[in-house]
Every structure is written in structure tokens, then in C-alpha cells.
Amino acid sequence: MALARMVETMAERRSADRPQNAIERMQRMEAMSQLRQTEMASARESVETFYATLSDAQKTVFDAEFQQMGRKGDRGMRGGPRGGSGMGAGRS
């Protein structure tokens, strides 16, 4: 659901008129920042619900994987330099 809203918003931005000046550009940047903030809050709430169902051992693994996400040169759950497939299927 959140992804669909983000895709819709991005499509609207592409079809909208380009900002004419620095103020309009900053207004658009602010609006996108607010959207990202809202989406992050929604994602956090979902993760809190999921996290509460994990055992202590599962929480340890989840925390370690989550800490690695977004690090420079790393592609997180999509796999990458660490050579793994992230948290996807086939992960042991």
C-alpha cells in the first residue's frame, strides 16, 4: 500500500509542471520529505508489530541484518557485496 502511494506520487510529480524557481523547488522537496516521513512512520509501526512476534534469537538476527541495511556499498536485503541473498528465500 505504501509503495503504491509512493509510485502514484512520483508519477504525479513527473506529470506536474517543473518548479519555476528555487522556492517552488524547495516546496516540492519539503512535500516529498513529509511523504517519506509519513511512510517511514507507517513502516516502523508494521515492523514493531512483527518484531513483537519474534523470539529473542530471531530478534538478534533481525537486529543484525537491519543494522547492515543502507550501509555505504551495501545493498541490504537485496543482496550485494556481502554475497548473500539478504533476508530472502534460501537464507540459512
Side-chain angles (χ1 to χ4, degrees):
M1 181 187 270
L3 177 59
R5 281 187 298 209
M6 183 66 82
V7 169
E8 182 180 321
T9 300
M10 291 174 74
E12 288 172 5
R13 282 189 65 209
R14 281 192 298 273
S15 66
D17 292 332
R18 294 187 62 112
Q20 298 299 307
N21 57 47
I23 300 302
E24 288 179 8
R25 181 170 164 77
M26 290 182 75
Q27 287 170 335
R28 284 182 64 170
M29 291 170 63
E30 183 180 7
M32 285 306 294
S33 178
Q34 289 170 348
L35 177 62
R36 285 190 299 270
Q37 192 69 23
T38 299
E39 296 298 335
M40 180 60 72
S42 176
R44 179 191 42 78
E45 290 169 3
S46 295
V47 170
E48 284 176 347
T49 300
F50 170 72
Y51 194 83
T53 68
L54 300 177
S55 69
D56 288 342
Q58 290 170 323
K59 287 177 182 178
T60 299
V61 171
F62 184 88
D63 290 341
E65 289 291 325
F66 190 80
Q67 186 175 12
Q68 294 298 316
M69 286 177 49
R71 290 208 174 158
K72 188 173 182 177
D74 189 1
R75 293 188 219 147
M77 293 179 14
R78 296 175 292 186
R82 290 184 293 157
S85 61
M87 296 176 78
R91 179 91 181 187
S92 53

